[in-house]
Amino acid sequence: LGLGALMARAGVPVAASESSVVGYFNPVLTDIGDDQSIQKNLSTFSAHVTNLVRVLTQATPDALVLLDEVATGTDPNEGAALACALVDALCRAGAAVVVTTHYGRLKAMAVEDGRLRNASVGFDVAQMLPTFEVRDDVPGSSSALAVASRFGMPEDVLSRARALIPEQSRTFDSLVRQLEERFESLSRA
């Protein structure tokens, strides 16, 4: 997305459908990757927060903000709360925001907040391959235990992990799976 926006801004043709529309974004802001540094005394989370503060200060209605796994590297509950508050602040600043996340709380926020939309990319768990099919308005599931199983995690560990998943997460994952199944059946029809 960022590369496409920068290419369009520079007048470079973008490989996309003729009916595609690309906005003019200035600046394009990102928090992608891991900027931890022993020299700067920054943990992964500290480095992300430092960068996120910079993104917040530069976010304008003309900005495109790309956040990959926002607010990870800390307590999952606090990270999810921070991610939700950050996305809200960026939306209030008027920026166009794209976020990747595994936080159920942030996915749920997109269902409840009219400024946001969920989308996911299909994943074939049996083959362990993405389908590259974008699913609008359907949050993705992480399939962490299915992936762990496929790559040899012992069943006793997986069973224990399933038992430790909080009820709220199980309910949300079940809802996501139902939405994915409904999407699949509608796609086949």
Side-chain angles (χ1 to χ4, degrees), residues 120-123 130-135 183-184 187:
S120 58
V121 177
F123 186 77
T131 65
F132 299 105
E133 181 179 22
V134 176
R135 299 172 174 178
F183 182 88
E184 287 296 324
S187 295

Side-chain angles (χ1 to χ4, degrees), residues 156-172:
D156 62 321
V157 174
L158 293 169
S159 293
R160 179 70 177 135
R162 285 184 200 98
L164 292 171
I165 295 173
E167 181 60 34
Q168 180 181 354
S169 295
R170 279 194 293 253
T171 302
F172 185 79

Side-chain angles (χ1 to χ4, degrees), residues 35-42:
D35 291 332
Q36 66 180 317
S37 169
I38 293 173
Q39 289 178 322
K40 295 178 187 175
N41 196 28
L42 292 175

Side-chain angles (χ1 to χ4, degrees), residues 30-161:
T30 65
D31 185 58
I32 297 171
D34 188 351
D35 291 332
Q36 66 180 317
S37 169
I38 293 173
Q39 289 178 322
K40 295 178 187 175
N41 196 28
L42 292 175
S43 68
T44 298
F45 181 70
S46 300
H48 282 293
V49 168
T50 300
N51 193 38
L52 291 170
V53 169
R54 178 191 61 79
V55 167
L56 269 174
T57 61
Q58 294 180 21
T60 66
D62 295 326
L64 172 61
V65 179
L66 305 173
L67 305 174
D68 182 39
E69 296 295 343
V70 64
T72 58
T74 190
D75 173 80
N77 291 321
E78 290 184 25
L82 180 60
C84 290
L86 179 66
V87 168
D88 177 63
L90 291 166
C91 287
R92 283 186 282 114
V97 183
V98 179
V99 180
T100 63
T101 188
H102 285 93
Y103 288 142
R105 191 169 183 183
L106 192 53
K107 294 174 191 180
M109 181 180 168
V111 171
E112 300 163 354
D113 188 326
R115 301 171 299 177
L116 308 173
R117 288 181 72 183
N118 275 307
S120 58
V121 177
F123 186 77
D124 184 333
V125 177
Q127 295 184 35
M128 290 291 135
L129 295 171
T131 65
F132 299 105
E133 181 179 22
V134 176
R135 299 172 174 178
D136 291 331
D137 300 312
V138 178
S141 58
S142 71
S143 305
L145 298 182
V147 171
S149 175
R150 178 76 195 275
F151 286 93
M153 185 64 65
E155 185 53 42
D156 62 321
V157 174
L158 293 169
S159 293
R160 179 70 177 135

